[in-house]
Amino acid sequence: MLSTQEALDAVLAAAHPLDARETVDTLAANGRVLVADVVATLDVPPMDTSAMDGYAVRTADLTGDATVLPVSQRIPAGHAPDPLASGTAARIFTGAPVPPGADAVVMQEQCEAREDGTVVIRHAPEAGEFVNRQGADIRRDSVVLAAGTRLRAQSLGLAASVGIAKLQVARRLRVAVFFTGDELTMPGEPLRAGSIYNSNRFVLRSLLENLGCEMTDYGIVPDNLAATRAILRDAARGNDLIITSGGVSVGEEDHVKPAVEAEGRLNLWQIALKPGKPLAYGEVNRMGGGTAHFIGLPGNPVSSFVTFLLFVRPFILRLQGVTDVTPRRIAMRADFTQKKADRRNEFVRARLNDQGGLDAFANQSSAVLTSTVWGDGLIDNPPGHRIEAGQTVAFLPFSDLLY
């Protein structure tokens, strides 16, 4: 069996970014991946602006602890000021342009406005005080977002701040999914003897939606080789990636593995991972040439969930052109002791506690989906290592892995 890292390296080596790109409105680009750098069209801020509500002044006009100056103008945000006359102050508001001639802003709490149109300045500022200088945040012609960035809310705000109305992004990944197992039943249908509800369909579809994929859902496929091969052929025609759940183990009713080998090839199978040992990667041939990527996930719900986060998510992001697909590993204290070490790389479902440490879910079975709702993330525990209370462990938060 391959180690987790060896398997991930092999999968990512096959994930060549898509060539297709499209131009979309910046307002509609959330979650998409840039294929071209975003270059600033102007300085930000585009002029010197006030960081406070107060009074714009010339520092040379201020003497002693209290200086009385006439107020020569009022400058709200969005209004162009006149030059500041020597020996006067300008009433100014946060974000408003600092008038030419002024070199500082005194916040209003340090000033006293009088009814005769003058103001008492009770603070002697240094030059530049409470002035946001032109270009202090962004310089014109600088790269503000690099190609390969997955766009978030703040990324779109940054693009908008430099006047970018449209962005070049990778096209959405087309993913086909299907689920194998005669025992699977959809919620809302009667639960037959020996059947279970198909929770994996809901989990995987939601995870793919979070990653912005276009999805073709073939639903539940009967447990036979011919049906599995037929779906694989159909799915390969119009999709970049085929994901299955179940049928990749070694049982007589596990037909996905032989179906992929018949319709293409299997490049990787079985990983020294807990949960998720029977993960498979390969390619399915397209009629007329070319291939679609294939990833077969285990059928157990936690195994399916964990292997998606560890392998499918970075694979999809790399296909979309994201450059950095490595999740954060946060060093944290374990507040529990494991009963025994496992020979495989184990990913322990854990939750943050009020003492700043981590508690482990009591039942780490691959069938216990409640552990994924209870937990805040996964502890990456190396093979053969038994976690002792007080040890520092590597924690992967779900907040970084689900989107």
Side-chain angles (χ1 to χ4, degrees), residues 141-214:
D141 297 328
S142 63
V143 174
V144 294
L145 293 168
T149 298
R150 189 166 178 232
L151 297 166
R152 302 177 292 167
Q154 56 268 49
S155 312
L156 302 183
L158 186 57
S161 75
V162 295
I164 305 298
K166 294 183 180 294
L167 294 165
Q168 291 187 61
V169 297
R171 77 157 166 82
R172 294 187 185 277
L173 197 71
R174 300 182 186 122
V175 182
V177 294
F178 66 87
F179 307 84
T180 66
D182 290 340
E183 76 280 9
L184 297 178
T185 302
M186 285 297 292
E189 299 175 359
L191 196 62
R192 307 180 311 276
S195 295
I196 58 171
Y197 288 122
N198 184 7
S199 61
N200 285 349
R201 189 176 189 184
F202 293 82
V203 173
L204 296 183
R205 280 184 59 116
S206 298
L207 291 170
L208 289 168
E209 288 170 3
N210 289 350
L211 292 171
C213 299
E214 292 182 359

Side-chain angles (χ1 to χ4, degrees), residues 317-331:
L317 292 177
R318 183 61 58 82
L319 287 178
Q320 293 173 332
V322 177
T323 49
D324 183 7
V325 299
T326 304
R328 285 189 304 159
R329 281 171 162 75
I330 303 172

Side-chain angles (χ1 to χ4, degrees), residues 33 59 112 141-142 171 229 310 346 348 356:
V33 178
T59 55
E112 179 189 343
D141 297 328
S142 63
R171 77 157 166 82
R229 290 185 63 178
L310 298 180
E346 184 175 10
V348 179

Side-chain angles (χ1 to χ4, degrees), residues 74-111:
R74 185 177 184 273
I75 313 170
H79 291 256
D82 295 322
L84 183 67
S86 179
T88 71
R91 179 69 166 119
I92 196 167
F93 298 89
T94 303
V98 174
D103 60 358
V105 172
V106 181
M107 62 181 179
Q108 62 188 17
E109 290 84 356
Q110 295 173 318
C111 303

Side-chain angles (χ1 to χ4, degrees), residues 20 63 66 90 134 159 216 281 361 382:
T63 58
Q134 178 176 340
T216 302
Y281 169 75
F361 195 72

Side-chain angles (χ1 to χ4, degrees), residues 224-245:
N224 70 72
L225 184 61
T228 306
R229 290 185 63 178
I231 293 293
L232 285 173
R233 287 194 297 270
D234 190 69
R237 279 205 300 266
N239 292 285
D240 307 297
L241 170 63
I242 303 168
I243 299 175
T244 63
S245 172

